Amino acid sequence: QTCLIHFIKRRKMLKCLLQKSLARFAPLEVVRPCSMFSGSFERGEGIVKDDSVPNILFLNASHGPKSLVGIGAKTFLDNLPVKYKLNEINLWKDELVSYRLEHAMAKLRILSSKGSEEDKQLFEPVLREAEMLNAVDVVLIATPMWNYSTPYVLKQYIDAIVQPGINFEDEPPPSNKKDTLVQPGINFKTRTEGRIILVISSAGAAYPPGGPIKDMLNPYLQQIFALMGFTQFHNIFIQNTMRADKKESIAW
Protein backbone atom coordinates (compact mmCIF):
# COMPACT_ATOMS: atom_id res chain seq x y z
CA GLN A 1 0.00 0.00 0.00
CA THR A 2 2.86 2.39 0.82
CA CYS A 3 4.47 1.73 -2.58
CA LEU A 4 1.14 2.39 -4.33
CA ILE A 5 0.70 5.72 -2.54
CA HIS A 6 4.27 6.69 -3.43
CA PHE A 7 3.67 5.80 -7.08
CA ILE A 8 0.46 7.87 -7.28
CA LYS A 9 2.19 10.88 -5.71
CA ARG A 10 5.14 10.54 -8.06
CA ARG A 11 2.87 10.32 -11.12
CA LYS A 12 0.94 13.42 -10.05
CA MET A 13 4.22 15.27 -9.50
CA LEU A 14 5.46 14.20 -12.95
CA LYS A 15 2.21 15.34 -14.59
CA CYS A 16 2.47 18.70 -12.87
CA LEU A 17 6.06 19.15 -14.01
CA LEU A 18 5.16 18.27 -17.59
CA GLN A 19 2.20 20.66 -17.65
CA LYS A 20 4.36 23.50 -16.38
CA SER A 21 7.05 22.65 -18.91
CA LEU A 22 4.58 22.67 -21.82
CA ALA A 23 3.03 25.92 -20.65
CA ARG A 24 6.39 27.68 -20.67
CA PHE A 25 7.62 25.89 -23.80
CA ALA A 26 11.05 27.36 -23.10
CA PRO A 27 14.19 26.18 -24.93
CA LEU A 28 16.57 24.07 -22.92
CA GLU A 29 20.26 24.82 -22.44
CA VAL A 30 22.10 24.57 -25.73
CA VAL A 31 25.17 22.40 -26.09
CA ARG A 32 27.09 22.80 -29.34
CA PRO A 33 29.87 20.20 -29.53
CA CYS A 34 32.85 20.24 -31.87
CA SER A 35 33.37 17.92 -34.79
CA MET A 36 35.91 15.09 -34.74
CA PHE A 37 36.81 15.75 -38.40
CA SER A 38 39.74 17.92 -39.41
CA GLY A 39 38.43 18.33 -42.96
CA SER A 40 35.07 19.12 -44.51
CA PHE A 41 33.15 18.63 -47.73
CA GLU A 42 32.81 21.45 -50.21
CA ARG A 43 29.30 22.43 -51.19
CA GLY A 44 27.94 22.49 -54.69
CA GLU A 45 25.22 24.88 -55.78
CA GLY A 46 23.02 23.93 -52.84
CA ILE A 47 19.24 24.12 -52.60
CA VAL A 48 17.34 27.34 -53.24
CA LYS A 49 15.45 28.19 -50.05
CA ASP A 50 11.93 29.60 -50.15
CA ASP A 51 11.85 32.31 -47.49
CA SER A 52 8.23 33.35 -48.12
CA VAL A 53 6.96 30.78 -45.59
CA PRO A 54 8.59 28.72 -42.82
CA ASN A 55 10.05 25.46 -44.12
CA ILE A 56 9.33 22.53 -41.80
CA LEU A 57 11.05 19.15 -42.03
CA PHE A 58 8.96 16.47 -40.31
CA LEU A 59 11.00 13.39 -39.40
CA ASN A 60 8.31 10.85 -38.66
CA ALA A 61 9.52 7.84 -36.68
CA SER A 62 6.15 7.25 -35.04
CA HIS A 63 4.48 3.85 -35.03
CA GLY A 64 1.53 5.36 -36.89
CA PRO A 65 -0.88 8.32 -36.99
CA LYS A 66 -2.82 7.01 -33.97
CA SER A 67 0.28 6.70 -31.78
CA LEU A 68 0.81 9.32 -29.07
CA VAL A 69 3.66 11.06 -30.87
CA GLY A 70 1.81 10.81 -34.19
CA ILE A 71 -1.22 12.53 -32.66
CA GLY A 72 1.05 15.09 -31.05
CA ALA A 73 2.75 15.98 -34.34
CA LYS A 74 -0.57 16.32 -36.17
CA THR A 75 -1.97 18.51 -33.41
CA PHE A 76 1.07 20.77 -33.61
CA LEU A 77 0.90 21.13 -37.40
CA ASP A 78 -2.88 21.59 -37.50
CA ASN A 79 -2.73 24.42 -34.98
CA LEU A 80 0.14 26.48 -36.36
CA PRO A 81 -1.16 30.03 -36.87
CA VAL A 82 0.94 30.65 -39.99
CA LYS A 83 1.20 29.12 -43.45
CA TYR A 84 4.16 26.80 -43.90
CA LYS A 85 5.81 24.44 -46.34
CA LEU A 86 6.03 20.87 -45.05
CA ASN A 87 8.41 18.11 -46.10
CA GLU A 88 7.53 14.90 -44.28
CA ILE A 89 9.91 11.96 -44.26
CA ASN A 90 8.42 8.72 -42.99
CA LEU A 91 11.56 7.04 -41.72
CA TRP A 92 9.89 3.62 -41.75
CA LYS A 93 8.51 3.75 -45.30
CA ASP A 94 10.27 6.33 -47.48
CA GLU A 95 13.20 5.28 -49.61
CA LEU A 96 16.30 7.06 -48.32
CA VAL A 97 20.01 6.78 -48.95
CA SER A 98 21.17 3.38 -47.73
CA TYR A 99 24.17 4.48 -45.69
CA ARG A 100 26.58 1.55 -45.49
CA LEU A 101 30.14 0.85 -44.45
CA GLU A 102 31.27 1.71 -47.99
CA HIS A 103 29.90 5.24 -47.53
CA ALA A 104 31.64 5.65 -44.17
CA MET A 105 35.01 4.56 -45.58
CA ALA A 106 34.63 6.76 -48.66
CA LYS A 107 33.80 9.69 -46.38
CA LEU A 108 36.98 9.25 -44.34
CA ARG A 109 39.11 9.05 -47.49
CA ILE A 110 37.51 12.17 -48.96
CA LEU A 111 37.97 14.17 -45.75
CA SER A 112 41.63 13.17 -45.62
CA SER A 113 42.12 14.27 -49.27
CA LYS A 114 42.59 10.67 -50.41
CA GLY A 115 39.20 10.13 -51.99
CA SER A 116 38.92 8.76 -55.52
CA GLU A 117 36.33 9.75 -58.13
CA GLU A 118 34.47 6.55 -57.27
CA ASP A 119 34.38 7.61 -53.61
CA LYS A 120 32.93 11.00 -54.56
CA GLN A 121 30.30 9.48 -56.85
CA LEU A 122 29.27 7.03 -54.13
CA PHE A 123 28.94 9.79 -51.56
CA GLU A 124 27.13 12.33 -53.74
CA PRO A 125 23.57 11.14 -52.85
CA VAL A 126 24.47 11.43 -49.16
CA LEU A 127 25.64 15.01 -49.63
CA ARG A 128 22.41 15.91 -51.45
CA GLU A 129 20.38 14.65 -48.47
CA ALA A 130 22.63 16.57 -46.07
CA GLU A 131 22.24 19.77 -48.08
CA MET A 132 18.48 19.66 -47.57
CA LEU A 133 18.94 20.62 -43.90
CA ASN A 134 20.22 24.05 -44.95
CA ALA A 135 16.83 24.90 -46.48
CA VAL A 136 14.92 24.08 -43.29
CA ASP A 137 13.70 26.55 -40.65
CA VAL A 138 12.08 24.06 -38.28
CA VAL A 139 12.69 20.36 -37.63
CA LEU A 140 9.78 18.41 -36.14
CA ILE A 141 10.56 14.92 -34.85
CA ALA A 142 7.93 12.43 -33.70
CA THR A 143 9.53 9.39 -32.13
CA PRO A 144 9.05 6.82 -29.41
CA MET A 145 11.91 5.83 -27.16
CA TRP A 146 13.57 2.52 -27.98
CA ASN A 147 15.91 1.07 -25.35
CA TYR A 148 16.39 4.49 -23.71
CA SER A 149 17.38 6.08 -27.04
CA THR A 150 16.31 6.50 -30.69
CA PRO A 151 14.73 3.91 -33.00
CA TYR A 152 17.35 2.69 -35.46
CA VAL A 153 15.67 4.35 -38.47
CA LEU A 154 16.07 7.80 -36.90
CA LYS A 155 19.67 7.13 -35.88
CA GLN A 156 20.52 5.86 -39.37
CA TYR A 157 19.04 8.99 -40.95
CA ILE A 158 21.07 11.22 -38.61
CA ASP A 159 24.29 9.31 -39.30
CA ALA A 160 23.75 9.78 -43.02
CA ILE A 161 22.87 13.48 -43.16
CA VAL A 162 25.15 15.08 -40.55
CA GLN A 163 28.10 16.03 -42.74
CA PRO A 164 30.93 18.51 -42.04
CA GLY A 165 31.12 21.39 -44.49
CA ILE A 166 27.56 20.76 -45.67
CA ASN A 167 25.31 21.45 -42.71
CA PHE A 168 27.79 22.25 -39.97
CA GLU A 169 31.25 23.70 -39.65
CA ASP A 170 32.99 24.53 -36.39
CA GLU A 171 35.11 27.36 -37.73
CA PRO A 172 34.49 29.93 -40.48
CA PRO A 173 35.89 28.58 -43.76
CA PRO A 174 39.16 30.05 -45.09
CA SER A 175 38.60 33.06 -47.33
CA ASN A 176 40.65 31.50 -50.16
CA LYS A 177 38.26 28.55 -50.62
CA LYS A 178 36.24 29.00 -53.82
CA ASP A 179 33.23 26.87 -53.01
CA THR A 180 32.63 26.94 -49.28
CA LEU A 181 29.78 26.41 -46.88
CA VAL A 182 28.96 30.12 -46.82
CA GLN A 183 29.61 33.18 -48.90
CA PRO A 184 32.85 35.08 -48.09
CA GLY A 185 32.49 37.21 -45.00
CA ILE A 186 29.47 35.34 -43.63
CA ASN A 187 29.98 33.21 -40.54
CA PHE A 188 28.27 29.82 -40.83
CA LYS A 189 27.33 29.76 -37.15
CA THR A 190 25.74 33.22 -37.35
CA ARG A 191 23.80 32.30 -40.49
CA THR A 192 22.29 29.03 -39.28
CA GLU A 193 22.08 29.10 -35.49
CA GLY A 194 18.78 29.95 -33.86
CA ARG A 195 16.65 27.57 -35.92
CA ILE A 196 13.97 25.56 -34.15
CA ILE A 197 13.65 21.87 -33.36
CA LEU A 198 10.61 20.35 -31.67
CA VAL A 199 10.85 16.76 -30.48
CA ILE A 200 7.62 14.99 -29.56
CA SER A 201 8.69 11.77 -27.85
CA SER A 202 7.19 9.06 -25.68
CA ALA A 203 8.39 6.42 -23.25
CA GLY A 204 6.73 3.59 -21.41
CA ALA A 205 8.45 4.40 -18.12
CA ALA A 206 8.80 7.61 -16.13
CA TYR A 207 12.09 9.51 -16.16
CA PRO A 208 12.04 11.93 -13.21
CA PRO A 209 15.14 14.12 -12.65
CA GLY A 210 17.76 12.22 -10.68
CA GLY A 211 15.98 8.90 -11.20
CA PRO A 212 17.74 5.55 -11.61
CA ILE A 213 17.20 5.36 -15.39
CA LYS A 214 18.28 8.05 -17.84
CA ASP A 215 16.65 9.53 -20.90
CA MET A 216 19.25 9.26 -23.67
CA LEU A 217 16.80 10.05 -26.46
CA ASN A 218 15.95 13.71 -26.04
CA PRO A 219 19.40 14.99 -24.89
CA TYR A 220 20.99 13.24 -27.88
CA LEU A 221 18.60 14.83 -30.36
CA GLN A 222 19.14 18.21 -28.75
CA GLN A 223 22.90 17.94 -29.02
CA ILE A 224 23.20 16.57 -32.55
CA PHE A 225 20.76 19.05 -34.10
CA ALA A 226 22.35 21.96 -32.24
CA LEU A 227 25.51 21.06 -34.15
CA MET A 228 23.64 21.93 -37.36
CA GLY A 229 22.24 25.21 -36.05
CA PHE A 230 18.92 24.05 -34.58
CA THR A 231 19.69 25.63 -31.22
CA GLN A 232 16.14 26.44 -30.09
CA PHE A 233 15.24 23.06 -28.65
CA HIS A 234 11.71 22.27 -27.46
CA ASN A 235 10.54 18.93 -26.15
CA ILE A 236 7.18 17.35 -25.41
CA PHE A 237 8.13 14.14 -23.62
CA ILE A 238 5.14 11.89 -22.88
CA GLN A 239 6.21 9.51 -20.12
CA ASN A 240 4.84 6.52 -18.23
CA THR A 241 2.66 5.48 -21.17
CA MET A 242 2.60 1.81 -20.12
CA ARG A 243 0.66 2.71 -16.99
CA ALA A 244 -1.16 5.92 -17.85
CA ASP A 245 -4.49 6.07 -19.66
CA LYS A 246 -4.08 7.01 -23.34
CA LYS A 247 -6.49 9.95 -23.04
CA GLU A 248 -4.45 11.25 -20.12
CA SER A 249 -1.23 10.91 -22.11
CA ILE A 250 -2.74 12.76 -25.08
CA ALA A 251 -3.91 15.54 -22.76
CA TRP A 252 -0.32 16.05 -21.63
Side-chain angles (χ1 to χ4, degrees):
Q1 186 177 4
T2 303
C3 292
L4 180 61
I5 293 173
H6 178 73
F7 169 76
I8 294 173
K9 288 182 177 179
R10 179 59 62 88
R11 195 172 76 167
K12 288 182 177 179
M13 179 185 71
L14 179 60
K15 181 178 179 181
C16 181
L17 288 172
L18 284 170
Q19 287 174 333
K20 289 181 179 179
S21 176
L22 293 181
R24 290 196 302 268
F25 208 59
L28 302 179
E29 180 184 358
V30 170
V31 178
R32 183 182 174 92
C34 293
S35 164
M36 62 171 282
F37 301 107
S38 57
S40 64
F41 293 104
E42 293 187 358
R43 290 181 67 188
E45 295 182 359
I47 296 175
V48 177
K49 184 175 181 293
D50 179 7
D51 288 323
S52 63
V53 293
N55 294 270
I56 300 176
L57 174 62
F58 177 21
L59 300 177
N60 188 355
S62 73
H63 292 175
K66 295 184 179 180
S67 67
L68 290 173
V69 296
I71 293 172
K74 185 178 187 303
T75 301
F76 170 74
L77 293 171
D78 288 349
N79 287 277
L80 282 178
V82 297
K83 293 182 179 179
Y84 57 87
K85 181 179 179 181
L86 180 68
N87 177 18
E88 178 179 350
I89 297 178
N90 188 313
L91 296 172
W92 296 107
K93 297 180 180 180
D94 291 350
E95 186 175 346
L96 303 172
V97 175
S98 179
Y99 197 78
R100 307 183 304 274
L101 177 60
E102 291 85 351
H103 292 92
M105 299 306 295
K107 172 181 178 175
L108 294 177
R109 286 191 293 269
I110 295 170
L111 291 179
S112 61
S113 301
K114 299 176 181 178
S116 65
E117 286 302 316
E118 288 78 10
D119 289 332
K120 295 176 182 179
Q121 290 177 9
L122 176 65
F123 213 75
E124 181 59 29
V126 177
L127 297 184
R128 286 200 301 269
E129 288 288 332
E131 179 69 45
M132 183 177 64
L133 266 293
N134 295 325
V136 170
D137 301 299
V138 178
V139 168
L140 168 64
I141 299 178
T143 181
M145 176 183 285
W146 279 24
N147 298 319
Y148 309 117
S149 187
T150 66
Y152 71 91
V153 289
L154 178 55
K155 182 61 167 63
Q156 185 178 35
Y157 174 81
I158 291 171
D159 287 342
I161 57 90
V162 179
Q163 299 297 340
I166 302 299
N167 45 41
F168 79 90
E169 190 162 338
D170 294 307
E171 298 297 335
S175 58
N176 60 351
K177 287 181 71 176
K178 294 182 180 180
D179 197 13
T180 59
L181 182 64
V182 295
Q183 298 298 321
I186 301 177
N187 188 311
F188 168 75
K189 292 183 181 180
T190 302
R191 186 177 74 95
T192 61
E193 284 190 349
R195 293 184 291 171
I196 297 170
I197 175 171
L198 168 61
V199 176
I200 303 176
S201 53
S202 64
Y207 292 79
I213 54 176
K214 306 300 180 184
D215 165 22
M216 291 178 280
L217 167 64
N218 299 293
Y220 166 70
L221 294 175
Q222 177 186 11
Q223 181 166 312
I224 193 63
F225 278 90
L227 180 68
M228 297 180 286
F230 296 91
T231 51
Q232 292 192 52
F233 179 83
H234 303 276
N235 186 205
I236 299 174
F237 187 24
I238 308 168
Q239 304 178 45
N240 203 33
T241 62
M242 294 297 291
R243 297 177 181 271
D245 180 77
K246 186 170 183 177
K247 291 183 179 180
E248 182 182 0
S249 297
I250 292 174
W252 283 359

Coordinates of all heavy atoms in Angstrom, one line a residue, residues 40-71:
S40 N 36.5 19.0 -44.3 CA 35.1 19.1 -44.5 C 34.8 19.0 -46.0 O 35.7 19.2 -46.8 CB 34.6 20.5 -44.0 OG 35.2 21.5 -44.7
F41 N 33.6 18.7 -46.3 CA 33.2 18.6 -47.7 C 32.9 20.0 -48.3 O 32.6 20.9 -47.5 CB 31.9 17.8 -47.9 CG 32.0 16.4 -47.5 CD1 31.5 15.9 -46.3 CD2 32.6 15.5 -48.4 CE1 31.6 14.5 -46.0 CE2 32.7 14.2 -48.1 CZ 32.3 13.7 -46.9
E42 N 33.1 20.2 -49.6 CA 32.8 21.5 -50.2 C 31.4 21.4 -50.9 O 31.1 20.4 -51.5 CB 33.9 21.8 -51.3 CG 35.2 22.1 -50.7 CD 36.2 22.6 -51.7 OE1 35.8 22.7 -52.9 OE2 37.4 22.9 -51.3
R43 N 30.7 22.4 -50.7 CA 29.3 22.4 -51.2 C 29.3 22.7 -52.7 O 30.1 23.3 -53.3 CB 28.5 23.5 -50.5 CG 28.2 23.2 -49.0 CD 27.4 24.3 -48.4 NE 26.0 24.4 -49.0 CZ 25.2 25.4 -48.8 NH1 25.5 26.4 -48.0 NH2 24.0 25.4 -49.3
G44 N 28.2 22.2 -53.3 CA 27.9 22.5 -54.7 C 27.1 23.7 -54.7 O 27.2 24.6 -53.9
E45 N 26.1 23.7 -55.6 CA 25.2 24.9 -55.8 C 24.2 25.0 -54.6 O 23.7 26.1 -54.4 CB 24.5 24.8 -57.1 CG 25.4 24.9 -58.3 CD 24.6 24.9 -59.6 OE1 23.4 24.8 -59.6 OE2 25.3 25.0 -60.7
G46 N 24.0 23.9 -53.9 CA 23.0 23.9 -52.8 C 21.6 23.9 -53.3 O 21.3 23.8 -54.5
I47 N 20.7 24.1 -52.3 CA 19.2 24.1 -52.6 C 18.7 25.5 -52.4 O 19.0 26.2 -51.4 CB 18.5 23.2 -51.6 CG1 19.0 21.7 -51.9 CG2 17.0 23.3 -51.8 CD1 18.4 20.7 -50.9
V48 N 17.9 26.0 -53.3 CA 17.3 27.3 -53.2 C 16.2 27.3 -52.2 O 15.3 26.5 -52.2 CB 16.7 27.8 -54.6 CG1 16.1 29.2 -54.4 CG2 17.8 27.8 -55.6
K49 N 16.4 28.2 -51.2 CA 15.4 28.2 -50.1 C 14.3 29.2 -50.3 O 14.5 30.3 -50.7 CB 16.2 28.6 -48.8 CG 15.4 28.5 -47.5 CD 16.3 28.8 -46.3 CE 15.5 28.7 -45.0 NZ 14.5 29.8 -44.9
D50 N 13.1 28.7 -50.0 CA 11.9 29.6 -50.2 C 11.7 30.3 -48.8 O 11.3 29.6 -47.8 CB 10.7 28.8 -50.5 CG 9.4 29.6 -50.7 OD1 9.5 30.8 -50.6 OD2 8.4 29.0 -50.8
D51 N 12.0 31.6 -48.7 CA 11.8 32.3 -47.5 C 10.5 33.0 -47.3 O 10.3 33.7 -46.4 CB 12.9 33.4 -47.4 CG 14.3 32.8 -47.2 OD1 14.4 31.8 -46.4 OD2 15.3 33.3 -47.7
S52 N 9.5 32.7 -48.2 CA 8.2 33.4 -48.1 C 7.4 32.7 -47.0 O 6.5 33.4 -46.5 CB 7.5 33.3 -49.5 OG 7.2 31.9 -49.8
V53 N 7.7 31.5 -46.7 CA 7.0 30.8 -45.6 C 8.0 29.9 -44.8 O 9.0 29.6 -45.4 CB 5.8 29.9 -46.1 CG1 4.7 30.7 -46.7 CG2 6.4 28.8 -47.1
P54 N 7.7 29.6 -43.6 CA 8.6 28.7 -42.8 C 8.6 27.3 -43.5 O 7.6 26.8 -43.9 CB 8.0 28.6 -41.4 CG 7.1 29.9 -41.3 CD 6.6 30.1 -42.7
N55 N 9.8 26.8 -43.6 CA 10.1 25.5 -44.1 C 10.2 24.5 -43.0 O 11.2 24.6 -42.2 CB 11.3 25.5 -45.0 CG 11.1 26.3 -46.3 OD1 10.6 25.8 -47.3 ND2 11.4 27.6 -46.2
I56 N 9.3 23.5 -42.9 CA 9.3 22.5 -41.8 C 9.7 21.2 -42.3 O 9.1 20.7 -43.3 CB 8.0 22.4 -41.1 CG1 7.6 23.8 -40.5 CG2 8.0 21.4 -40.0 CD1 6.2 23.8 -39.9
L57 N 10.7 20.5 -41.7 CA 11.0 19.1 -42.0 C 10.5 18.3 -40.9 O 10.9 18.4 -39.8 CB 12.6 19.0 -42.1 CG 13.1 17.5 -42.3 CD1 12.6 16.9 -43.6 CD2 14.6 17.5 -42.2
F58 N 9.6 17.4 -41.3 CA 9.0 16.5 -40.3 C 9.6 15.1 -40.4 O 9.4 14.4 -41.4 CB 7.5 16.4 -40.6 CG 6.7 15.5 -39.7 CD1 7.2 15.0 -38.5 CD2 5.4 15.0 -40.1 CE1 6.5 14.2 -37.6 CE2 4.7 14.1 -39.3 CZ 5.2 13.7 -38.1
L59 N 10.4 14.7 -39.4 CA 11.0 13.4 -39.4 C 10.1 12.5 -38.6 O 10.0 12.6 -37.4 CB 12.4 13.5 -38.8 CG 13.4 14.4 -39.5 CD1 14.7 14.4 -38.8 CD2 13.6 13.9 -41.0
N60 N 9.4 11.6 -39.3 CA 8.3 10.8 -38.7 C 8.8 9.4 -38.4 O 8.9 8.6 -39.3 CB 7.1 10.8 -39.6 CG 5.9 10.1 -38.9 OD1 6.0 9.6 -37.8 ND2 4.8 10.1 -39.6
A61 N 9.1 9.2 -37.1 CA 9.5 7.8 -36.7 C 8.4 7.2 -35.8 O 8.7 6.3 -35.1 CB 10.9 7.9 -35.9
S62 N 7.2 7.8 -35.9 CA 6.1 7.3 -35.0 C 5.7 5.9 -35.5 O 6.0 5.5 -36.7 CB 4.9 8.2 -35.1 OG 4.3 8.1 -36.3
H63 N 5.0 5.2 -34.7 CA 4.5 3.8 -35.0 C 3.2 3.9 -35.9 O 2.7 2.9 -36.3 CB 4.2 3.0 -33.8 CG 5.4 2.6 -33.0 ND1 5.4 2.0 -31.8 CD2 6.8 2.8 -33.4 CE1 6.7 1.8 -31.4 NE2 7.5 2.3 -32.3
G64 N 2.7 5.2 -36.1 CA 1.5 5.4 -36.9 C 0.8 6.6 -36.5 O 1.1 7.2 -35.4
P65 N -0.2 7.1 -37.3 CA -0.9 8.3 -37.0 C -1.7 8.3 -35.7 O -2.0 9.4 -35.2 CB -1.8 8.5 -38.2 CG -1.9 7.1 -38.8 CD -0.6 6.4 -38.5
K66 N -2.0 7.1 -35.2 CA -2.8 7.0 -34.0 C -1.9 6.8 -32.7 O -2.5 6.7 -31.6 CB -3.8 5.9 -34.1 CG -4.9 6.1 -35.1 CD -5.9 5.0 -35.1 CE -7.0 5.2 -36.2 NZ -8.0 4.1 -36.2
S67 N -0.6 6.8 -32.9 CA 0.3 6.7 -31.8 C 0.3 8.1 -31.1 O -0.1 9.1 -31.6 CB 1.7 6.3 -32.2 OG 2.2 7.4 -33.0
L68 N 0.8 8.1 -29.9 CA 0.8 9.3 -29.1 C 1.6 10.4 -29.8 O 1.2 11.6 -29.9 CB 1.4 9.0 -27.7 CG 0.5 8.2 -26.7 CD1 1.2 7.9 -25.5 CD2 -0.8 9.0 -26.4
V69 N 2.8 10.0 -30.2 CA 3.7 11.1 -30.9 C 3.1 11.4 -32.2 O 3.3 12.6 -32.7 CB 5.1 10.6 -31.0 CG1 5.7 10.4 -29.6 CG2 5.3 9.3 -31.8
G70 N 2.4 10.5 -32.9 CA 1.8 10.8 -34.2 C 0.7 11.8 -34.0 O 0.5 12.8 -34.8
I71 N -0.1 11.6 -33.0 CA -1.2 12.5 -32.7 C -0.6 13.9 -32.3 O -1.2 14.9 -32.7 CB -2.1 12.0 -31.5 CG1 -2.9 10.7 -32.0 CG2 -3.1 13.0 -31.0 CD1 -3.6 10.0 -31.0

